[in-house]
Amino acid sequence: MGYKRIASSVLLAGAMLVPAAALGPVALAAPGVQQVPLSGTGAPQTGAYTPSGPGDVTTIEFPSGMKGDAGPAAYDGKIVARSLSRKSEGGNGGGGGDTDSHERATSSPAFKIGWEGLNFFQQRYARGGNQFSVEPPDQALCVGNGYVFEAVNDVVNVYNTSGRSLLPDTNVVNGVPTSVNGAVDLNSFFGYAPAINRSTGIRGPFVTDPTCLYDAATQRFFVVVLTLETVPATGAFTLSNHLDIAVSKTANATGGWNIYRLNVTADGTNPDPSNACPCLGDYPHIGADANGFYITTNAYPWNGNGFSGAQIYAFSKAQLAAGAAAVTMQHIDTFGTVNAPSDAGPKQPGFTVWPAQSPGSPRAERDFNKASEGEGNRGRGVEYFLSSNAGDEATRPIAGSGGPHLSNQLIVWALTNTASLNSATPALSLSNTILSVQKYAIPPLQKQPGSGTRATTATPQGNCINDTITLLFNGQIGCWRLLFGKEPAHDEVISKPDSNDTRMQQVMYADGKLWGALDTALTVSGGGNRAGIAWYVVEPQISDGAVEADLVNQGYLGAAGHDLTYPAIGVTASGRGVMAFTATGDALNPSAAFAPIDARGVGAWSVVRGGLGAAQDDGFTGYKAQVGNPPRTRWGDYGAAAVDGSSIWIASEYIAHACDYRTWGGPFFFGGTGDNKLGTCAPTTGAPGTRGALGNWSTRISQLVP
C-alpha cells in the first residue's frame, strides 16, 4: 500500500471496474519466536464466482476506506549531479543520464524478449468482473525453472519465457466469455472469496502489496501479500491484518502452493500511547539467504498518525520449502531496538528496511557464506538489509509530523546467526551501521506531456468528467453522467504522477556487495528539480557479530526534461546488473526504462524495446471528482527485477496503449460501437480490452543479458 489511505466510491454504467480488495481473520503473531502453522493450500486458478452483469446489485468501484493522501512536500533545495548529461546509445525514447561518477558501467545489456504484462483491464475483469479498480499496480516479478511469475494489485499470471500465459483463460463477464489472458485474482490464489460479489454486494478480504521471489537453492517460488480483513456486508476494515505467504510445492509455478498466514495486527511499538497498535503491517518486502526467508513491514497505528517501526519476520527457509506443518519464525521490532549514533538522534528506528535477495547461483551462495564468516560469526549465516532515513518515520515516532525530508545517510543492517532458524530455538541478532552518502531528498511529482493543462480526448476519462455536450445512448447529454450520480466540477487537468518518497527500493546481494537505489530530488543540467534516482554499491562485513560496511560507489541518475522513478536493481553473480524504472518527461509519456549498472557506475539509460509510453496516465487517482481535492496520482509503488542465471528480468509500470474518447465511450455514446463495458476500448463485447473506464496502466516485462 505504501501509505495509509481512506476512500470514496464511484458509480458506473454497465458492468464496471473496481479497485482494491478486502480483509479476513488470522492468528496473532507475538514478538519473539513462534511456530507459524500451515493454513492451507492454493493455486493460480480462478475460484468460484457469479459473473458480473446486468443483475449486479452494486456498481461500487473502490473498497471502503481507501484514498491517497497528499504525501510529503517535495524538497526545494538543490542536489546537483556533477557530470554532464549523456545521451543514450540506441533504444527508443531514451534520454540523457546524469551521474556524478566519472566511470560508467562496462556492460551494455542485450535485449532478448519483452511483452506487455498485467494491465488494468485484466485486473478489473478477472474472476468474472468481481474485482475493484486498483491503482497503483505494485509490481512483483520472479523467474525460475522456465516460469515467469508476475503479480500486481490484484491479479497474477504465469508465463513461459516466450511470454505466453500458462494459465487457462476461462472468464465470463456479463454472460460473455471475456479474455483476460489467463490472469487470476489474488483472492482466488490465496483461497478467498471474491474481492466483491457483484450479485450480492458481499466483500471478501482486501489483498494488496504483492511481492515474490524464486529461490534457486530450494527451487521454490515465494509470494507474499498483505491481507486486511473486512466486514463482508459493508467492506469496512476490521483492523485485523495478516501477511499471507504462499510457497510453491515444487519448481512448477502453475501447480500447488502451501499457504502460511501470520497476523501482524499487534506488531509494533510506539512511545506515544495515543499511537499504539492495532497496527497495519504495510509495504511488505522479502529476501532470503542460505538459511532464512525474510519479510519486512512498516507498522502504522490504525488509530493515530504515528509510526510503530519497521518489523522483521525471519522464517526457516528449509521448513517453508518442505511445506512443514509449522514453520519456525522470529519477529524483531526495529523501533528503538538498535542503538546507533546518527543525526536522527540516539536511536535509528528502521523504516522500509528492505531485505536483500541474491542471484541464487552457487557463486552467490558462496558469497553469502563468505559474508557470514566475519569474526564471531563464522558459519552462522547473515542476511543484509538497506534503509534510508530522510522520512519522518525514521526520525521521530509521529509520522508526517514534519522534518527536513533530507538526508546524507544510508543504513546497512545485518541479521546474524541465521543458521539458528533451522533449530528449535533461533537466536538472531540485529545490528546496523550508518554510512555517509550524497544528499537525497523528497522528489517532485513526475511530469508527463500536458501536465496541469485541461484533460483532452487523449485522456478520455478526464475528458468525460469535464464533458457536458456528448449525447449518450439513453438520450441524456454529458459524458459525466456515465461516472457520477451528482454533477462534478468540470475542471480536471492532466495529472502529475506520484514520484514516491525516499524509502529504499529493491536490494540485491551479489558479487560480495549490496546494491540498492531510491528516489530523490535531482537538479539536472542547470534546470529545476526533477525526480531522479540515487544508487549505491556497498560492501558489508561482520566483525564481532556486528555489521560494518564500506561504500564502494554511489551516484545519481537523472535527465534534463525527464523524471525517473521507482528503481529496481537486478545483479548477476558476476556483478553485472540492470536498473529498471519508469521514465516520464515533458515530451515522454510514462515508459518502461532501464540503465546498466556495475561496481564502476551506471551507464546511459534507454526506454526498453516495446516500453515506449503510448499515452498519458488517465487513472482515477489523478482526478479530483474521483478521489477528492487535491488528488494524488498513484504510480509504482515499486518496480521489480529478477535474476535467472545470466539473464535479468525487469518489470515496470507504463502506459501501453492509447485510446481515443469515442472508442472509450463505445456503445454508451449515441451511435457508438464496441464492448458493453464502459472504457475498455475493446472492439467487440468479450474481446480483450486495452484499459478500463477508470484507469489505463500496464506493466512491461523484459529480459536483458548484461
Side-chain angles (χ1 to χ4, degrees), residues 105-128:
T106 57
S107 64
S108 178
F111 175 85
K112 293 299 182 182
I113 194 171
W115 61 85
E116 182 185 1
L118 292 163
N119 64 25
F120 191 100
F121 175 85
Q122 293 167 314
Q123 108 73 31
R124 172 55 180 87
Y125 289 106
R127 203 166 186 174

Side-chain angles (χ1 to χ4, degrees), residues 33 37 51 75 133 140 191 197 208 317 336 382 486 504 548 564 577 644:
V33 177
Y75 178 64
S133 296
N197 183 325
T208 187
K317 186 173 74 173
V382 61
K486 181 181 178 181
M504 182 57 59
E548 297 177 351
L564 312 180
D644 182 33

Side-chain angles (χ1 to χ4, degrees), residues 7 57 128 172 199 242 303 317 414 419 487 579 641 706:
V57 303
V172 177
S199 66
H242 42 93
N303 301 317
K317 186 173 74 173
E487 186 170 5
M579 181 164 64

Side-chain angles (χ1 to χ4, degrees), residues 278-301:
C279 288
L280 173 71
D282 196 26
Y283 210 66
H285 284 94
I286 60 180
D289 72 349
N291 304 300
F293 176 75
Y294 308 95
I295 309 174
T296 62
T297 67
N298 292 323
Y300 290 96

Side-chain angles (χ1 to χ4, degrees), residues 264-579:
V264 296
T265 309
D267 293 350
T269 58
N270 195 306
D272 182 352
S274 67
N275 283 295
C277 286
C279 288
L280 173 71
D282 196 26
Y283 210 66
H285 284 94
I286 60 180
D289 72 349
N291 304 300
F293 176 75
Y294 308 95
I295 309 174
T296 62
T297 67
N298 292 323
Y300 290 96
W302 280 102
N303 301 317
N305 294 319
F307 179 63
S308 293
Q311 312 299 309
I312 299 176
Y313 303 93
F315 296 80
S316 166
K317 186 173 74 173
Q319 292 172 9
L320 285 171
V327 175
T328 301
M329 186 278 297
Q330 184 170 353
H331 167 218
I332 296 173
D333 184 346
T334 69
F335 191 93
T337 62
V338 179
N339 293 315
S342 77
D343 293 343
K347 296 181 179 180
Q348 178 56 69
F351 170 60
T352 310
V353 179
W354 201 301
Q357 300 179 4
S358 82
S361 67
R363 173 174 175 172
E365 289 298 313
R366 288 195 299 271
D367 285 343
F368 255 129
N369 291 335
K370 182 179 179 182
S372 72
E373 291 179 357
E375 200 172 329
N377 195 62
R378 192 169 302 279
R380 295 168 62 189
V382 61
E383 167 69 2
Y384 292 115
F385 311 73
L386 290 178
S387 70
S388 61
N389 65 358
D392 293 331
E393 293 91 335
T395 59
R396 50 184 54 80
I398 308 299
S401 61
H405 301 141
L406 171 72
S407 180
N408 64 349
Q409 296 181 331
L410 181 72
I411 299 91
V412 182
W413 305 73
L415 196 61
T416 53
N417 197 27
T418 63
S420 68
L421 287 167
N422 295 315
S423 71
T425 55
L428 305 178
S429 179
L430 182 67
S431 63
N432 70 12
T433 188
I434 298 176
L435 295 179
S436 294
V437 297
Q438 297 169 148
K439 289 192 299 184
Y440 57 89
I442 301 290
L445 298 176
Q446 303 175 56
K447 294 180 182 178
Q448 56 181 337
S451 287
T453 64
R454 188 174 176 85
T456 70
T457 55
T459 50
Q461 180 188 189
N463 190 72
C464 177
I465 299 172
N466 290 342
D467 176 77
T468 59
I469 61 175
T470 298
L471 179 63
L472 306 183
F473 71 100
N474 57 7
Q476 293 184 314
I477 295 176
C479 180
W480 64 268
R481 298 177 188 277
L482 298 174
L483 298 175
F484 305 97
K486 181 181 178 181
E487 186 170 5
H490 304 296
D491 58 355
E492 302 291 356
V493 299
I494 295 170
S495 69
K496 295 180 180 180
D498 196 358
S499 293
N500 203 7
D501 52 21
T502 55
R503 70 186 66 201
M504 182 57 59
Q505 298 293 278
Q506 181 170 325
V507 175
M508 288 289 298
Y509 181 79
D511 193 33
K513 304 174 186 67
L514 284 169
W515 310 70
L518 51 80
D519 295 275
T520 183
L522 192 59
T523 310
V524 181
S525 297
N529 276 349
R530 301 299 292 253
I533 295 168
W535 54 268
Y536 310 98
V537 184
V538 174
E539 187 170 23
Q541 53 271 334
I542 303 299
S543 178
D544 293 327
V547 65
E548 297 177 351
D550 295 316
L551 186 64
V552 175
N553 206 348
Q554 64 177 325
Y556 300 117
L557 182 66
H562 293 81
D563 298 290
L564 312 180
T565 58
Y566 297 97
I569 296 177
V571 184
T572 66
S574 62
R576 300 168 74 86
V578 172
M579 181 164 64

